[in-house]
Amino acid sequence: MSSKKIQAASFANKDVEVVGREIVYHGFFKMEKVELRHRLFKGGWTESLSREIFVRGQAVAAIMYDPENHLVGLVEQFRVGALDILQGNLTSSPWLYEVVAGMTEVDESPREVILRELVEEAGMVPDKLLPICEYFTSPGGTNETLVLFCALGNLRHVGGIHGLPSENEDIKVIVLPEKEVFDQLYEGRFSNAATLICLQWLLMNREGISNDENDMQKPSDE
């Protein structure tokens, strides 16, 4: 396999000129309107453009995995964005299977966030956290980035209903045999990017994962 690095991006922040920025909505979430122009691949600059940004910031998520018992842990909860949706293989239910997730607060590291969220949403204190990746969720319209982890631990006694009543959370923990999950990976039940990315990573790397730090092999990055 070639070790040649992928070429860096053609432009950087200095190649964007922000003419104006205003908050057009601020409720549970925030929306900004940005006036800008940027450099063109063929040379020169665009005309002034108006774009709306859904301001979310950084989120953190983790797939729960028990390598000794070959179990995968997910959460099920209501998502308003999936209300009345039926497209292709997607479920028509707005209750989705997801990974544990939360938003980064001021001065919090991604690791601190996910350790807190694992307790709040699943009652799990992991033995070990493995980093997976970081990515933009939908950069055409939001500034949100998502940092993904794999949380290792014994899932035989993980379950129940969790969440913060103050945030109206009603979260059910689902623990499934890994074979059942991987056999149904693309049948529509795991229908959001973070969950699919985590499960695909786990499918490729699970043979090198162990709870015992002394036995831990480096997961494949190929």
Side-chain angles (χ1 to χ4, degrees), residues 122-123 155 157-162 173-175:
L155 298 181
H157 304 295
V158 172
I161 310 300
H162 300 269
V173 176
I174 306 293
V175 177

Side-chain angles (χ1 to χ4, degrees), residues 61-65 72-74 98-100 114 118 124 128-130 132 148-152 155 181 194-195 197-199 201-202:
I63 185 79
M64 296 179 286
Y65 182 56
V72 174
L74 298 163
E98 299 182 333
V99 286
V100 170
I114 201 56
L118 283 163
M124 181 195 186
K128 191 176 183 67
L129 283 176
L130 302 178
I132 295 178
L148 301 181
F149 290 94
C150 178
L152 301 182
L155 298 181
V181 172
T195 303
I197 291 170
C198 284
L199 289 173
W201 179 92
L202 188 57

Side-chain angles (χ1 to χ4, degrees), residues 199-217:
L199 289 173
Q200 288 171 332
W201 179 92
L202 188 57
L203 179 62
M204 292 189 297
N205 292 284
R206 70 189 190 281
E207 292 183 1
I209 292 176
S210 168
N211 271 342
D212 189 341
E213 188 170 353
N214 294 325
D215 295 337
M216 185 68 204
Q217 301 175 28

Side-chain angles (χ1 to χ4, degrees), residues 121-189:
E121 294 193 357
M124 181 195 186
V125 178
D127 297 326
K128 191 176 183 67
L129 283 176
L130 302 178
I132 295 178
C133 70
E134 180 176 6
Y135 69 98
F136 288 101
T137 58
S138 186
T142 179
N143 68 348
E144 182 182 52
T145 61
L146 193 49
V147 181
L148 301 181
F149 290 94
C150 178
L152 301 182
N154 189 323
L155 298 181
R156 287 180 299 178
H157 304 295
V158 172
I161 310 300
H162 300 269
L164 297 179
S166 61
E167 297 181 8
N168 293 309
E169 291 181 328
D170 181 46
I171 300 170
K172 182 180 180 180
V173 176
I174 306 293
V175 177
L176 300 167
E178 64 176 40
K179 185 179 186 306
E180 180 179 327
V181 172
F182 297 138
D183 285 348
Q184 301 179 48
L185 188 55
Y186 302 113
E187 295 183 7
R189 195 65 184 94

Side-chain angles (χ1 to χ4, degrees), residues 7-162:
Q7 183 178 352
S10 300
F11 301 119
N13 283 346
K14 64 181 179 60
D15 299 303
V16 180
E17 179 183 328
V18 177
V19 179
R21 185 190 298 264
E22 64 174 313
I23 298 174
V24 295
Y25 176 78
H26 198 170
F28 187 75
F29 295 116
K30 185 167 69 172
M31 183 77 71
E32 290 185 352
K33 183 177 181 179
V34 180
E35 298 284 340
L36 59 87
R37 66 190 194 113
H38 63 77
R39 290 191 185 275
L40 294 167
F41 290 117
K42 63 182 180 181
W45 291 74
T46 66
E47 299 294 329
S48 181
L49 306 172
S50 178
R51 295 289 184 268
E52 287 78 38
I53 301 175
F54 180 31
V55 180
R56 287 272 291 174
Q58 185 185 71
V60 189
I63 185 79
M64 296 179 286
Y65 182 56
D66 182 339
E68 303 302 321
N69 297 293
H70 305 287
L71 299 173
V72 174
L74 298 163
V75 295
E76 183 180 16
Q77 60 185 315
F78 172 80
R79 291 304 199 191
V80 68
L83 188 62
D84 298 328
I85 296 296
L86 180 58
Q87 297 179 359
N89 290 328
L90 292 181
T91 175
S92 60
S93 172
W95 275 263
L96 304 182
Y97 280 8
E98 299 182 333
V99 286
V100 170
M103 301 301 299
T104 303
E105 303 292 342
V106 177
D107 296 327
E108 271 191 316
S109 70
R111 182 175 293 269
E112 290 171 331
V113 175
I114 201 56
L115 288 174
R116 181 190 72 233
E117 294 295 334
L118 283 163
V119 172
E120 290 181 2
E121 294 193 357
M124 181 195 186
V125 178
D127 297 326
K128 191 176 183 67
L129 283 176
L130 302 178
I132 295 178
C133 70
E134 180 176 6
Y135 69 98
F136 288 101
T137 58
S138 186
T142 179
N143 68 348
E144 182 182 52
T145 61
L146 193 49
V147 181
L148 301 181
F149 290 94
C150 178
L152 301 182
N154 189 323
L155 298 181
R156 287 180 299 178
H157 304 295
V158 172
I161 310 300
H162 300 269

